[in-house]
Amino acid sequence: MKRLSPTFLFAAAAAAISVLPGCVSQTARLGLPCPVPGVLVDAESASVFRAGGQGAGDLVYKTTLSSAAVGCDYDTKRRVHTSVSFNMNVERGPAGAAGKINVPYFVAVTRGSAILARESFTRTVELTADPVTKARESIDHITIPLAKGLTGGSYNIVVGLAVSQDQVRYNRTKAIEIPKR
């Protein structure tokens, strides 16, 4: 389990956020809603190719995030303490070999289109002879100070892969299925 640094709560920026459906938010013990989880659409998958290629035979691996879920508890100081977990699947492509890879990703707290906080993480994944490596990633200890009149359900916890602009363009136009071995 990973912990967010104290600076996680204070980063700020603005961006439009679109999240994938199928994520689960639990209700805190007091009956108050937890933040709404999601996977950022443009950052849900990342395909990595060998140098100079972008065809199906050049694919080294493809990572996909899914099934974000949150749990939370409220304290008496108008804060909601949240954890998020999500699936990370890494498919080895035809150009991939067994070995360790580092998968960079982020977790952000948003409200509307405003990014209130964001922190980056890296997961080391061991690619084996199996075509797909599956993992469940968890981030604990996300504390959100609640604005007056708001509940945890007024906020989103968004996860995504750290993708380049080229990967975003690729995801939007040429996403490929991994050929079966």
Side-chain angles (χ1 to χ4, degrees):
M1 311 258 189
K2 296 189 175 82
R3 286 193 116 165
L4 297 177
S5 71
T7 58
F8 184 85
L9 293 175
F10 302 107
I17 302 292
S18 297
V19 295
L20 295 172
C23 298
V24 178
S25 178
Q26 297 179 350
T27 302
R29 287 183 293 199
L30 301 174
L32 296 171
C34 290
V36 179
V39 178
L40 186 64
V41 171
D42 282 340
E44 80 160 314
S45 68
S47 298
V48 176
F49 296 92
R50 68 174 146 211
Q54 278 207 334
D58 299 314
L59 186 65
V60 177
Y61 64 90
K62 178 181 179 181
T63 305
T64 305
L65 303 183
S66 64
S67 303
V70 299
C72 71
D73 271 316
Y74 288 75
D75 68 18
T76 59
K77 297 179 182 177
R78 297 217 26 87
R79 297 180 300 195
V80 61
H81 302 278
T82 306
S83 62
V84 63
S85 62
F86 53 92
N87 291 335
M88 180 183 289
N89 293 335
V90 181
E91 298 177 71
R92 190 165 47 91
K100 290 183 180 181
I101 60 166
N102 290 320
V103 179
Y105 67 93
F106 64 88
V107 177
V109 177
T110 67
R111 185 166 155 244
S113 62
I115 298 171
L116 305 175
R118 181 186 186 279
E119 188 158 326
S120 298
F121 300 92
T122 300
R123 170 75 183 245
T124 300
V125 176
E126 179 79 34
L127 296 179
T128 64
D130 294 330
V132 179
T133 301
K134 297 181 179 187
R136 186 85 179 154
E137 190 74 352
S138 295
I139 303 295
D140 294 325
H141 308 288
I142 302 169
T143 299
I144 303 170
L146 297 172
K148 186 172 180 150
L150 298 181
T151 67
S154 304
Y155 298 85
N156 296 300
I157 303 290
V158 180
V159 298
L161 294 164
V163 292
S164 67
Q165 288 296 333
D166 287 339
Q167 288 172 314
V168 170
R169 279 191 289 280
Y170 180 83
N171 286 347
R172 290 178 179 175
T173 61
K174 300 179 182 177
I176 60 171
E177 293 295 318
I178 297 191
K180 302 297 179 208
R181 295 179 186 248

